[in-house]
Amino acid sequence: MNRVWIKLALITVVIAAHQPFASAQEGMPPFDLQTGNAAIQVIIPAVDPIFFEDVTVNGGDPSILIRYTTLIVNAWFDASAAYHKTAVGVYSTPDRQQPYDPTDNSALNVAMIAGSKVILEACFPAHAQRWQDMLDNAIGDRGGEPEIKAAIRCGTYAGRAVWLGRLNDGMNHDGTMGGRTANPMPFADYTGYEPLNSAYRVRRPSHWQPAIERMGTGKYRTQMFVTPQYGQVTPYTDLWSLNLPLDPPEKSDAMNTEAYQEQADAVLAKSASLTDEQKMLSEFYENKLFSLPVSAVVASMKQGMNLMEFVHMFFSQEVAIFDAGIWVWAKKREFDAVRPFTSIALLNGDAPVEAWGGPGKGTTQIPASQWESYLPVADHPEYPSASACLCRAHATVMQEVTGTNDLGWEVPFSAGSSFVEPGLTPGADLKFTFDTWDEFAEVCGMTRLWSGVHFEDAVVRIKEPCTTIGTAAAAYVQGLIAGGKK
Amino acid sequence: MNRVWIKLALITVVIAAHQPFASAQEGMPPFDLQTGNAAIQVIIPAVDPIFFEDVTVNGGDPSILIRYTTLIVNAWFDASAAYHKTAVGVYSTPDRQQPYDPTDNSALNVAMIAGSKVILEACFPAHAQRWQDMLDNAIGDRGGEPEIKAAIRCGTYAGRAVWLGRLNDGMNHDGTMGGRTANPMPFADYTGYEPLNSAYRVRRPSHWQPAIERMGTGKYRTQMFVTPQYGQVTPYTDLWSLNLPLDPPEKSDAMNTEAYQEQADAVLAKSASLTDEQKMLSEFYENKLFSLPVSAVVASMKQGMNLMEFVHMFFSQEVAIFDAGIWVWAKKREFDAVRPFTSIALLNGDAPVEAWGGPGKGTTQIPASQWESYLPVADHPEYPSASACLCRAHATVMQEVTGTNDLGWEVPFSAGSSFVEPGLTPGADLKFTFDTWDEFAEVCGMTRLWSGVHFEDAVVRIKEPCTTIGTAAAAYVQGLIAGGKK
């Protein structure tokens, strides 16, 4: 692979994860079907702006984002099976084609784009023209070649099979579950989850309270537990046979008075000592369209992966985080645990505490009831941490696939680039280097503590189960590649 | 006033109420400080896009929008007092200047823009450069003239006095009320309102239930009663001496079984017989940045008002709708009444009913529990209708100021321009002509029934009280103009 374009492609992915499509495309060489990587150069740059427009503000919302990305990457994988000697797809294996030759990515690229197009048309029909353009622009004047035509058929076939295969997997993607025949509510709960506390009042101090969120300049809404059914979704791996125990969050049990107080105090102490580096790392991991996929792209560059290897790697990490999400959501629902903002307010009322005082306020004395976490608190119960588990499963599967713990990724944060404190944080340009995958996962967990959205147990206890999930994901995809699973 | 530019200006206002600033400016003649109208040509086109970006999606959210527009228009009025022989401002009267001469709008225009700039900088500080540009571009190369310098001082003085005068009027504009010293929550409730029902469960069927709203492609949030404190805000007029009785909404009392059922059935019947014209008129009135201000601009054109008359008229209607909003919000909070979607679901459960079945579905059989109103249901209790009262107060004050019931406004709706059913509704181009102000108010009320967001009593019962408020607003501003009030 050409080192120059892949550097440019990486920049594209990074920019696309932050900015609209048009600017992401500036200064890029034209996509070369034969030598390029459609995932990095075509599909991600087309999709990310729509995610930021229609799905998520800052790249949080993992349960929904991972849903979309997994369908897309699964389509790549199933389409790629046609170009592999032994691999079978998850939902279909298109007719075998001429096996992939690393000197010509053309057919595999087209099949990946065509598969993505099917998924994207189903998920984002209002942008149908964009998905058509994505394919047409990539193919250019080669649409008449039999190899390209066959690739479109392969990709389309694979995309349809993935879409239909996952349509009724329990996620309520089309919003019709629970007997909903009119006014579909995609991804809405159909299982009858109801929070034990309201935004107005806490009656069950061990349990989750929906937070109040501001919309626009002066409207407020209360959270609903996002996709409480995600824990019931069909996993890729034999997730529920993996034996992944998790103790209850004893310290969040308000009956354990001392521990309940201690873990709340620990969050305030971290809030009071937030550094610029901690703030920027917290934001880095909050953006699930940046931290996770870009680290995978970086690793693929270091390894000099060809396009088929890239697809196998990328699908492995998608399976890992998709299944990790299922496990986390099942546990979140089971324990329905209190977030720090609730227990801090309950314990201290309006008494002054020392903490981060809000954007631009630094560390100061504020009434405990008015304390807010540095990162916006997510719309699901606290225990265990989704981000920590996703990072751990991702780091594990990346080690399995690449055969090394080395990552060596230097991430720059330019002065004032914070989305929480724009123009202010960080005060000067920063760099952070992730030497290893273990460090990548470890720091990820820490940021959830620094940023005040989690207690410690939610982060440290996921290490073993989420490592196991990552390992299982790698083995699962290896099985498919070897043709051993259907 | 030049008929050509005022026609173009009207188009600008209409477009600005729908589209981003840039496109609204296309094809417009440059603003002429001497003969132009800064309200229509400069301020509204600068502000409306920010409202749609930061405050409201479709121009609903009257309690917050009217807050902003009233501060701005009050600044125009108080600044204009300096250019009038007798008028006094509400919060200040800048030093008297050379009285307004209808052949030269320059000073009054600059004073209006400078006053708006102060309010806008306070309300939308993130757009500070936009407000500076708004003033600079309007003044052009005339910034050195003593008359222009004085006008900037007048407007700035008036704007500051309005901002400070209204800062602690009970609306919690800066988000610090209720002892909030950290993380301010502008416009948030500080009075302890708590809904009697939750989005999950109805225990008090006579009362308001927060609706569930979708955010992005798959997240849901529950409503909170927007600005429940608005009923306690200091009015302009002697609102609470006007004796404005309103009976309780007896039919929304679930103990009145038959009436409760009848009024719910009536909403379903209207939903089942929705016409394209009814849909488009509903959307027209939903957009409070279009229906109300543009009708006032149309009337000002018909009357050939000069700029001073325009300011007096526009402030009169702002006072009318601001005070009407206070009265409505106080009553909404007092009665805390159920919305149609709740009672329809309670009465019918999952039984099939005939009704509008959602965007593009037309009239069909759907489970009653899944019925939705054509317009998105607003985030405040049902009784009485805010829109109906605002329209009635507005229509009344406009009759008082213009001395006629004649309106004669033809509003076109182009095929497919609906925001609820884009591309589909209306099926063909439509026109609707408002012959009189009474008709404007009457049809406004009807749209709240057609669109399924109100019961009949909430609309018909506001006629007398909201007429009184409109009359009082006109008299109040007349008093200021005569110099009789301070």
Side-chain angles (χ1 to χ4, degrees):
Chain A
M1 280 180 146
N2 180 318
R3 286 276 153 189
V4 174
W5 79 248
I6 210 164
K7 281 241 166 183
L8 284 163
L10 175 61
I11 292 166
T12 307
V13 174
V14 173
I15 293 173
H18 288 288
Q19 290 180 9
F21 188 55
S23 64
Q25 295 297 79
E26 274 169 31
M28 274 291 296
F31 171 63
D32 184 313
L33 204 52
Q34 188 182 331
T35 60
N37 177 325
I40 302 174
Q41 293 187 287
V42 175
I43 303 166
I44 294 175
V47 172
D48 274 1
I50 303 303
F51 285 157
F52 283 108
E53 203 176 293
D54 290 359
V55 183
T56 185
V57 176
N58 296 313
D61 308 299
S63 70
I64 297 172
L65 278 177
I66 291 173
R67 171 76 188 181
Y68 290 130
T69 56
T70 300
L71 294 186
I72 295 166
V73 178
N74 194 159
W76 301 349
F77 181 81
D78 284 14
S80 78
Y83 298 90
H84 194 275
K85 283 183 183 158
T86 58
V88 293
V90 180
Y91 294 103
S92 74
T93 305
D95 291 341
R96 299 278 171 199
Q97 307 290 315
Q98 185 72 25
Y100 172 71
D101 164 5
T103 65
D104 187 356
N105 293 342
S106 303
L108 182 50
N109 270 327
V110 170
M112 288 165 67
I113 301 171
S116 305
K117 175 171 168 279
V118 172
I119 301 294
L120 290 165
E121 283 168 346
C123 293
F124 302 98
H127 299 284
Q129 189 59 51
R130 184 181 184 95
W131 314 132
Q132 185 65 53
D133 292 347
M134 173 180 80
L135 181 62
D136 292 346
N137 293 341
I139 293 175
D141 57 6
R142 295 186 56 189
E145 299 175 20
E147 181 200 41
I148 301 300
K149 286 182 173 172
I152 294 175
R153 280 197 302 274
C154 275
T156 304
Y157 181 82
R160 283 189 188 143
V162 169
W163 173 250
L164 293 174
R166 282 257 156 225
L167 189 56
N168 297 304
D169 67 354
M171 191 60 168
N172 195 20
H173 195 134
D174 68 355
T176 62
M177 291 186 76
R180 208 164 170 94
T181 57
N183 295 309
M185 295 174 71
F187 299 117
D189 182 33
Y190 57 87
T191 65
Y193 174 84
E194 191 174 337
L196 295 171
N197 297 301
S198 78
Y200 305 90
R201 198 173 290 265
V202 176
R203 296 182 198 279
R204 306 281 298 273
S206 309
H207 292 288
W208 185 63
Q209 177 188 27
I212 293 174
E213 293 185 359
R214 184 164 160 191
M215 291 174 61
T217 59
K219 287 188 292 184
Y220 297 86
R221 294 288 181 269
T222 68
Q223 294 179 337
M224 301 181 80
F225 181 3
V226 66
T227 59
Q229 70 276 17
Y230 184 21
Q232 301 174 26
V233 165
T234 312
Y236 285 93
T237 66
D238 286 333
L239 180 65
W240 299 115
S241 310
L242 293 176
N243 187 25
L244 304 168
L246 181 73
D247 286 336
E250 308 85 6
K251 295 176 188 165
S252 292
D253 182 344
M255 301 297 279
N256 299 328
T257 327
E258 208 168 311
Y260 190 85
Q261 172 90 49
E262 274 173 16
Q263 75 169 3
D265 290 349
V267 171
L268 283 176
K270 289 194 174 64
S271 173
S273 64
L274 263 177
T275 66
D276 275 13
E277 185 176 86
Q278 290 175 339
K279 290 176 178 176
M280 295 316 295
L281 285 168
S282 296
E283 298 187 23
F284 165 80
Y285 285 106
E286 176 73 0
N287 184 351
K288 302 291 182 290
L289 293 171
F290 184 32
S291 50
L292 299 175
V294 178
S295 68
V297 170
V298 167
S300 77
M301 287 165 53
K302 300 222 166 205
Q303 299 250 325
M305 289 182 185
N306 66 38
L307 186 59
M308 182 65 82
E309 290 163 344
F310 178 89
V311 169
H312 290 172
M313 175 278 289
F314 219 79
F315 184 53
S316 301
Q317 69 90 29
E318 282 292 341
V319 167
I321 61 178
F322 186 85
D323 280 12
I326 293 173
W327 180 78
V328 165
W329 248 255
K331 297 296 176 185
K332 279 182 181 285
R333 178 160 187 163
E334 178 182 348
F335 297 118
D336 198 23
V338 64
R339 288 269 183 188
F341 80 91
T342 302
S343 68
I344 287 170
L346 280 176
L347 288 164
N348 303 285
D350 294 337
V353 293
E354 187 170 272
W356 179 72
K361 303 294 183 189
T363 298
T364 178
Q365 295 273 328
I366 59 170
S369 58
Q370 296 169 22
W371 176 81
E372 288 181 9
S373 51
Y374 180 78
L375 286 179
V377 64
D379 49 357
H380 34 84
E382 189 265 347
Y383 183 88
S385 162
S387 296
C389 180
L390 298 178
C391 284
R392 179 56 69 183
H394 172 81
T396 303
V397 80
M398 290 304 299
Q399 290 181 65
E400 296 276 345
V401 172
T402 63
T404 174
N405 189 20
D406 292 345
L407 173 54
W409 181 22
E410 186 183 88
V411 179
F413 301 104
S414 55
S417 63
S418 160
F419 70 76
V420 177
E421 300 186 316
L424 297 173
T425 299
D429 290 354
L430 287 184
K431 280 178 192 172
F432 190 89
T433 303
F434 299 98
D435 291 324
T436 65
W437 283 112
D438 273 339
E439 188 182 14
F440 180 89
E442 210 57 46
V443 175
C444 177
M446 295 303 295
T447 64
R448 309 309 284 178
L449 307 179
W450 298 333
S451 60
V453 295
H454 277 289
F455 299 116
E456 195 170 353
D457 284 349
V459 166
V460 297
R461 291 188 183 171
I462 58 80
K463 186 167 181 178
E464 198 182 313
C466 303
T467 301
T468 305
I469 295 170
T471 306
Y476 168 78
V477 177
Q478 278 308 314
L480 292 174
I481 295 168
K485 270 205 176 178
K486 196 134 209 162
Chain B
M1 281 179 144
N2 181 318
R3 288 274 153 190
V4 174
W5 79 246
I6 211 165
K7 283 241 165 184
L8 284 163
L10 175 61
I11 293 166
T12 309
V13 175
V14 173
I15 293 173
H18 289 287
Q19 291 181 8
F21 188 56
S23 62
Q25 295 297 79
E26 275 170 30
M28 274 291 295
F31 171 63
D32 183 316
L33 204 51
Q34 189 182 330
T35 60
N37 176 325
I40 302 173
Q41 293 186 285
V42 175
I43 304 166
I44 295 175
V47 174
D48 273 2
I50 303 304
F51 285 156
F52 282 108
E53 204 176 291
D54 289 358
V55 183
T56 184
V57 176
N58 296 313
D61 309 299
S63 69
I64 297 171
L65 279 176
I66 291 173
R67 171 79 188 178
Y68 290 130
T69 57
T70 300
L71 295 185
I72 295 166
V73 178
N74 194 157
W76 302 349
F77 181 81
D78 284 13
S80 78
Y83 298 90
H84 195 275
K85 284 183 183 160
T86 57
V88 292
V90 180
Y91 294 102
S92 73
T93 306
D95 293 341
R96 299 276 171 200
Q97 307 291 315
Q98 186 72 24
Y100 172 69
D101 165 5
T103 66
D104 187 355
N105 294 340
S106 302
L108 183 50
N109 269 329
V110 169
M112 289 165 65
I113 301 171
S116 305
K117 175 170 167 280
V118 172
I119 301 294
L120 290 165
E121 283 168 346
C123 293
F124 303 97
H127 300 284
Q129 189 59 50
R130 182 180 185 96
W131 315 132
Q132 186 64 53
D133 292 347
M134 173 179 79
L135 181 61
D136 292 345
N137 294 341
I139 292 175
D141 57 5
R142 296 185 56 189
E145 298 175 19
E147 183 199 38
I148 301 300
K149 285 183 175 171
I152 295 174
R153 280 197 303 273
C154 275
T156 304
Y157 182 81
R160 282 187 190 145
V162 170
W163 174 250
L164 293 174
R166 283 256 156 226
L167 189 55
N168 298 304
D169 67 354
M171 191 61 169
N172 194 20
H173 195 134
D174 69 354
T176 63
M177 292 186 75
R180 212 167 166 92
T181 56
N183 295 309
M185 294 173 71
F187 299 117
D189 182 33
Y190 58 89
T191 65
Y193 174 84
E194 191 174 337
L196 295 171
N197 297 301
S198 77
Y200 305 91
R201 196 173 292 264
V202 176
R203 297 183 197 277
R204 306 280 299 272
S206 310
H207 292 288
W208 184 63
Q209 177 187 27
I212 293 174
E213 293 184 359
R214 184 165 160 190
M215 292 174 61
T217 59
K219 287 188 291 185
Y220 297 86
R221 295 288 183 266
T222 69
Q223 293 179 336
M224 301 180 81
F225 182 2
V226 68
T227 60
Q229 71 276 17
Y230 183 21
Q232 301 174 24
V233 165
T234 312
Y236 285 94
T237 67
D238 286 334
L239 180 67
W240 299 116
S241 310
L242 293 176
N243 187 25
L244 304 168
L246 183 72
D247 287 335
E250 308 87 6
K251 295 177 188 164
S252 292
D253 182 345
M255 302 297 279
N256 299 328
T257 327
E258 210 168 309
Y260 190 86
Q261 171 93 47
E262 274 173 15
Q263 75 169 3
D265 289 349
V267 171
L268 283 176
K270 289 194 174 64
S271 173
S273 64
L274 264 178
T275 66
D276 275 13
E277 185 177 84
Q278 290 175 339
K279 290 175 180 177
M280 294 316 295
L281 285 168
S282 296
E283 297 188 23
F284 166 79
Y285 284 106
E286 175 73 1
N287 184 350
K288 302 291 181 290
L289 293 171
F290 184 31
S291 50
L292 299 175
V294 178
S295 68
V297 170
V298 167
S300 76
M301 287 166 51
K302 299 222 167 205
Q303 299 250 325
M305 289 182 185
N306 66 38
L307 186 60
M308 182 65 81
E309 290 164 343
F310 178 88
V311 170
H312 291 173
M313 174 278 289
F314 219 80
F315 184 52
S316 301
Q317 69 90 30
E318 282 292 341
V319 167
I321 61 178
F322 186 84
D323 281 11
I326 293 173
W327 180 79
V328 165
W329 248 255
K331 297 298 176 184
K332 279 182 181 284
R333 179 162 185 162
E334 179 182 347
F335 296 118
D336 199 23
V338 64
R339 288 269 183 188
F341 81 91
T342 302
S343 67
I344 286 170
L346 280 176
L347 288 163
N348 303 286
D350 294 337
V353 292
E354 189 171 270
W356 178 71
K361 303 293 183 188
T363 298
T364 177
Q365 295 272 328
I366 59 169
S369 58
Q370 296 170 21
W371 176 81
E372 288 182 9
S373 51
Y374 180 77
L375 287 179
V377 65
D379 49 357
H380 34 86
E382 190 267 344
Y383 184 87
S385 162
S387 296
C389 180
L390 298 177
C391 283
R392 178 56 68 182
H394 173 80
T396 302
V397 81
M398 290 305 299
Q399 290 182 62
E400 296 276 344
V401 171
T402 62
T404 175
N405 189 20
D406 292 345
L407 174 52
W409 181 23
E410 185 183 270
V411 180
F413 301 105
S414 55
S417 62
S418 159
F419 70 76
V420 178
E421 299 186 317
L424 296 174
T425 298
D429 290 354
L430 286 183
K431 279 180 193 172
F432 189 89
T433 303
F434 298 98
D435 290 324
T436 65
W437 283 112
D438 274 338
E439 188 182 13
F440 180 88
E442 210 57 45
V443 176
C444 177
M446 294 303 295
T447 63
R448 308 311 282 180
L449 307 180
W450 299 333
S451 60
V453 295
H454 277 290
F455 299 116
E456 196 170 352
D457 283 349
V459 165
V460 298
R461 291 188 183 171
I462 57 81
K463 186 166 181 179
E464 200 183 312
C466 303
T467 300
T468 305
I469 294 170
T471 307
Y476 168 79
V477 177
Q478 277 307 314
L480 292 174
I481 294 169
K485 272 203 177 179
K486 196 129 209 168

